[in-house]
Amino acid sequence: MTWIRACTVQQVPEDEGLRLPTEPPIAVFRVVDEFFATGDSCTHDEFSLAQGYLDGDVVECPLHMAKFCLRTGKVLAPPAFIPLETYPVRRDGDDLFVDVPERPDDL
């Protein structure tokens, strides 16, 4: 795993997500003053979850209403049945870092 600087705290409004230009895409979410990072694509139909609706630590895909837990990636409502990847988030001052998997070409 490799820590990358994802964004600043101010770039992630409360109860919203921010899509990172990683490969594969990762979304950073802010719930009050807690930050979570997951795969950005809904596992049902690959729609951006950064555009989804947050209710506490649950994100709902705006396309077909699948729901996922931001803490664990667990599917909470169909039509999705494959959980999301989750990534550790670290805050350093106003900067947020996400621990992303190394890609084979990075080795």
Side-chain angles (χ1 to χ4, degrees):
M1 301 289 268
T2 303
W3 288 97
I4 62 164
R5 182 185 173 281
C7 57
T8 66
V9 169
Q10 294 80 12
Q11 288 177 290
V12 188
E14 189 171 330
D15 296 325
E16 291 190 25
L18 175 70
R19 181 183 173 123
L20 303 179
T22 56
E23 188 55 48
I26 293 173
V28 175
F29 298 94
R30 181 179 192 165
V31 178
V32 187
D33 278 325
E34 221 175 337
F35 296 90
F36 302 95
T38 69
D40 180 54
S41 300
C42 178
T43 60
H44 167 251
D45 202 10
E46 296 195 22
F47 197 81
S48 174
L49 292 174
Q51 298 176 33
Y53 310 106
L54 290 183
D55 183 12
D57 65 354
V58 175
V59 63
E60 180 179 307
C61 179
L63 190 58
H64 294 116
M65 282 50 94
K67 292 182 182 180
F68 303 89
C69 176
L70 295 176
R71 294 178 190 281
T72 65
K74 181 180 177 181
V75 176
L76 301 175
F81 61 91
I82 299 170
L84 291 175
E85 290 287 330
T86 59
Y87 306 96
V89 178
R90 182 181 79 217
R91 182 175 178 172
D92 185 4
D94 284 338
D95 293 321
L96 296 177
F97 293 84
V98 176
D99 197 5
V100 298
E102 292 182 10
R103 296 182 315 200
D105 59 336
D106 291 341
L107 301 176

